[in-house]
Coordinates of all heavy atoms in Angstrom, one line a residue:
K15 N 96.7 80.0 94.6 CA 95.9 80.8 95.6 C 95.4 79.9 96.7 O 94.7 78.9 96.4 CB 94.8 81.6 94.9 CG 93.8 82.2 95.9 CD 92.7 83.0 95.2 CE 91.5 83.1 96.1 NZ 90.4 83.9 95.5
V16 N 95.5 80.3 97.9 CA 94.9 79.7 99.0 C 93.9 80.7 99.6 O 92.8 80.4 100.1 CB 95.9 79.2 100.1 CG1 95.1 78.8 101.4 CG2 96.7 78.1 99.5
G17 N 94.2 82.0 99.6 CA 93.4 83.0 100.2 C 93.7 84.4 99.7 O 94.2 84.5 98.6
G18 N 93.5 85.4 100.6 CA 93.6 86.8 100.1 C 95.0 87.2 99.6 O 95.1 88.0 98.7
L19 N 96.1 86.6 100.1 CA 97.4 86.8 99.7 C 97.5 86.6 98.1 O 98.0 87.5 97.4 CB 98.4 86.0 100.4 CG 99.9 86.0 99.9 CD1 100.5 87.3 100.0 CD2 100.7 84.9 100.6
D21 N 95.0 86.7 95.9 CA 94.2 87.7 95.2 C 95.0 89.0 95.1 O 95.0 89.6 94.0 CB 92.9 88.0 96.0 CG 91.9 86.9 95.8 OD1 91.9 86.2 94.7 OD2 91.0 86.7 96.6
H163 N 100.1 90.3 105.4 CA 98.8 89.8 105.0 C 98.1 89.0 106.2 O 97.0 89.0 106.3 CB 98.7 89.0 103.8 CG 99.3 89.7 102.6 ND1 98.5 90.2 101.6 CD2 100.5 90.1 102.2 CE1 99.2 90.9 100.7 NE2 100.5 90.8 101.1
N164 N 99.0 88.4 107.0 CA 98.6 87.7 108.1 C 99.7 87.6 109.2 O 100.7 86.9 109.0 CB 98.1 86.2 107.7 CG 97.4 85.6 108.8 OD1 97.6 85.9 110.0 ND2 96.5 84.7 108.5
N243 N 93.4 96.8 101.1 CA 93.5 96.1 99.8 C 92.3 96.6 98.9 O 91.3 97.0 99.4 CB 93.2 94.6 100.0 CG 94.5 93.9 100.5 OD1 95.6 94.3 100.3 ND2 94.3 92.7 101.2
W250 N 86.2 90.4 89.6 CA 85.0 90.4 90.4 C 84.1 91.5 90.0 O 84.1 92.6 90.5 CB 85.4 90.6 91.9 CG 86.3 89.5 92.4 CD1 87.7 89.5 92.4 CD2 85.9 88.3 92.9 NE1 88.1 88.3 92.9 CE2 87.1 87.5 93.3 CE3 84.6 87.7 93.2 CZ2 87.0 86.3 93.8 CZ3 84.6 86.4 93.8 CH2 85.8 85.7 94.1
I294 N 81.9 81.9 103.4 CA 82.9 81.4 102.5 C 84.3 81.6 103.1 O 84.6 82.7 103.5 CB 82.9 82.1 101.1 CG1 81.6 82.0 100.4 CG2 84.0 81.6 100.2 CD1 81.4 82.9 99.2
G295 N 85.1 80.5 103.2 CA 86.4 80.8 103.7 C 87.0 79.6 104.4 O 86.5 78.5 104.4
R296 N 88.2 79.9 104.9 CA 89.0 78.8 105.6 C 88.2 78.5 106.9 O 87.9 79.4 107.7 CB 90.4 79.2 105.9 CG 91.2 79.4 104.6 CD 92.6 79.8 104.9 NE 92.7 81.2 105.4 CZ 93.3 81.5 106.5 NH1 93.8 80.6 107.3 NH2 93.4 82.8 106.9
E300 N 90.6 81.5 113.5 CA 90.8 82.9 113.1 C 89.6 83.5 112.5 O 89.3 84.7 112.7 CB 91.9 82.8 112.1 CG 92.9 83.8 112.2 CD 93.9 83.6 111.0 OE1 94.5 82.5 110.9 OE2 94.0 84.5 110.2
K301 N 88.9 82.7 111.7 CA 87.7 83.1 110.9 C 86.4 83.0 111.7 O 85.3 83.2 111.2 CB 87.5 82.3 109.6 CG 88.7 82.5 108.7 CD 88.7 83.8 107.9 CE 89.9 83.9 107.0 NZ 90.1 85.3 106.5
L326 N 80.6 77.3 102.3 CA 81.7 76.8 101.4 C 83.0 77.0 102.1 O 83.4 78.2 102.5 CB 81.7 77.6 100.1 CG 82.9 77.5 99.2 CD1 83.1 76.0 98.7 CD2 82.8 78.5 98.0
G327 N 83.7 75.9 102.4 CA 85.0 76.1 103.0 C 85.7 74.8 103.3 O 85.2 73.7 103.1
T328 N 86.9 74.9 103.7 CA 87.7 73.8 104.1 C 88.7 74.2 105.2 O 89.0 75.4 105.3 CB 88.5 73.2 102.9 OG1 89.4 72.2 103.3 CG2 89.2 74.3 102.1
F351 N 79.4 72.7 101.6 CA 80.3 72.2 100.6 C 81.7 72.3 101.2 O 82.2 73.4 101.3 CB 80.1 73.1 99.3 CG 80.9 72.6 98.2 CD1 80.3 72.0 97.1 CD2 82.3 72.8 98.1 CE1 81.0 71.5 96.0 CE2 83.1 72.3 97.0 CZ 82.4 71.7 96.0
G353 N 85.4 72.0 100.6 CA 86.3 72.0 99.5 C 86.6 73.4 99.1 O 86.1 74.4 99.7
Y354 N 87.4 73.5 98.0 CA 87.8 74.8 97.5 C 87.3 74.9 96.1 O 87.5 74.0 95.2 CB 89.3 75.0 97.5 CG 89.7 76.4 97.1 CD1 89.9 77.3 98.1 CD2 89.8 76.8 95.8 CE1 90.2 78.6 97.8 CE2 90.1 78.1 95.4 CZ 90.3 79.0 96.4 OH 90.6 80.3 96.1
D355 N 86.4 75.9 95.8 CA 85.8 76.0 94.5 C 85.6 77.4 94.1 O 84.7 78.1 94.6 CB 84.4 75.2 94.5 CG 83.8 75.1 93.1 OD1 84.1 76.0 92.3 OD2 83.1 74.1 92.9
E356 N 86.5 77.9 93.3 CA 86.5 79.3 92.9 C 85.2 79.7 92.2 O 84.7 80.8 92.6 CB 87.7 79.5 91.9 CG 88.1 81.0 91.7 CD 88.9 81.7 92.8 OE1 89.6 81.0 93.6 OE2 88.7 82.9 92.9
S357 N 84.7 79.0 91.3 CA 83.5 79.5 90.6 C 82.2 79.4 91.5 O 81.4 80.2 91.5 CB 83.2 78.8 89.3 OG 83.6 77.5 89.3
L358 N 82.2 78.4 92.4 CA 81.1 78.4 93.3 C 81.2 79.6 94.3 O 80.1 80.2 94.6 CB 81.2 77.1 94.2 CG 80.1 76.9 95.2 CD1 78.7 77.0 94.7 CD2 80.2 75.6 96.0
A359 N 82.3 80.0 94.6 CA 82.5 81.3 95.4 C 81.8 82.4 94.7 O 81.0 83.1 95.2 CB 83.9 81.5 95.8
Y363 N 78.6 84.6 96.0 CA 78.5 86.1 96.2 C 77.4 86.7 95.4 O 76.7 87.6 95.8 CB 79.8 86.8 95.7 CG 81.0 86.4 96.6 CD1 82.1 85.8 96.1 CD2 81.0 86.8 97.9 CE1 83.3 85.5 96.9 CE2 82.1 86.5 98.8 CZ 83.2 85.9 98.3 OH 84.3 85.6 99.1
M371 N 80.7 86.9 108.4 CA 82.1 86.9 108.7 C 82.4 87.1 110.2 O 82.6 88.3 110.6 CB 82.9 87.9 107.8 CG 82.8 87.6 106.3 SD 83.7 88.8 105.3 CE 85.4 88.2 105.6
E376 N 91.0 89.5 111.2 CA 90.8 89.7 109.8 C 91.7 90.9 109.3 O 91.3 92.0 109.4 CB 89.3 90.0 109.5 CG 88.9 89.8 108.1 CD 89.1 88.4 107.6 OE1 88.3 87.5 107.8 OE2 90.1 88.1 106.9
P377 N 92.9 90.6 108.8 CA 93.9 91.6 108.5 C 93.2 92.6 107.5 O 93.4 93.8 107.6 CB 95.0 90.8 107.9 CG 95.0 89.5 108.5 CD 93.5 89.2 108.8
C378 N 92.6 92.1 106.5 CA 91.8 93.0 105.6 C 90.4 92.3 105.3 O 89.4 92.9 105.6 CB 92.5 93.2 104.2 SG 91.5 94.1 103.1
G379 N 90.5 91.1 104.8 CA 89.2 90.4 104.4 C 88.9 90.9 103.0 O 88.7 92.1 102.8
L380 N 88.8 90.0 102.1 CA 88.3 90.4 100.7 C 86.9 90.0 100.5 O 86.2 90.6 99.8 CB 89.2 89.7 99.7 CG 90.7 90.2 99.7 CD1 91.6 89.3 98.8 CD2 90.7 91.6 99.2
N381 N 86.5 88.9 101.2 CA 85.1 88.4 101.0 C 84.1 89.5 101.1 O 83.1 89.6 100.4 CB 84.8 87.3 102.0 CG 85.7 86.1 101.9 OD1 86.8 86.3 101.3 ND2 85.3 85.0 102.4
Q382 N 84.2 90.3 102.2 CA 83.2 91.4 102.4 C 83.2 92.4 101.2 O 82.2 93.0 100.9 CB 83.4 92.1 103.7 CG 84.4 93.2 103.8 CD 85.8 92.6 104.0 OE1 86.1 91.5 103.8 NE2 86.8 93.5 104.3
Y384 N 84.0 91.6 98.1 CA 83.4 91.0 96.9 C 81.8 91.0 97.2 O 81.1 91.3 96.2 CB 83.8 89.5 96.8 CG 85.3 89.4 96.5 CD1 86.0 88.3 97.1 CD2 86.0 90.3 95.8 CE1 87.4 88.1 96.8 CE2 87.4 90.2 95.5 CZ 88.0 89.1 96.1 OH 89.4 88.9 95.9
Ligands
ADP1 P1 92.3 84.7 104.0 O1 93.3 85.2 103.0 O2 92.5 85.0 105.4 O3 91.9 83.3 103.7 P2 90.6 86.7 102.6 O4 89.2 87.2 102.9 O5 91.7 87.8 102.6 O6 91.0 85.6 103.7 O7 90.6 86.0 101.2 C1 89.8 84.8 101.0 C2 89.8 84.5 99.5 O8 89.8 83.1 99.3 C3 88.5 85.1 98.9 O9 88.8 85.3 97.5 C4 87.6 83.9 99.0 O10 86.5 83.9 98.0 C5 88.5 82.7 98.8 N1 88.1 81.5 99.4 C6 88.4 81.0 100.6 N2 87.9 79.8 100.8 C7 87.4 79.4 99.6 C8 86.8 78.2 99.2 N3 86.6 77.1 100.0 N4 86.4 78.1 97.9 C9 86.6 79.2 97.1 N5 87.1 80.3 97.4 C10 87.6 80.4 98.7

Side-chain angles (χ1 to χ4, degrees):
K15 164 180 161 181
V16 171
L19 171 64
D21 283 334
H163 299 256
N164 193 331
N243 284 335
W250 299 94
I294 300 174
R296 295 181 292 119
E300 221 183 302
K301 299 280 179 194
L326 164 63
T328 169
F351 185 106
Y354 188 94
D355 187 330
E356 191 78 25
S357 34
L358 179 55
Y363 291 119
M371 296 184 74
E376 198 61 82
C378 173
L380 291 171
N381 299 18
Q382 83 281 10
Y384 300 144

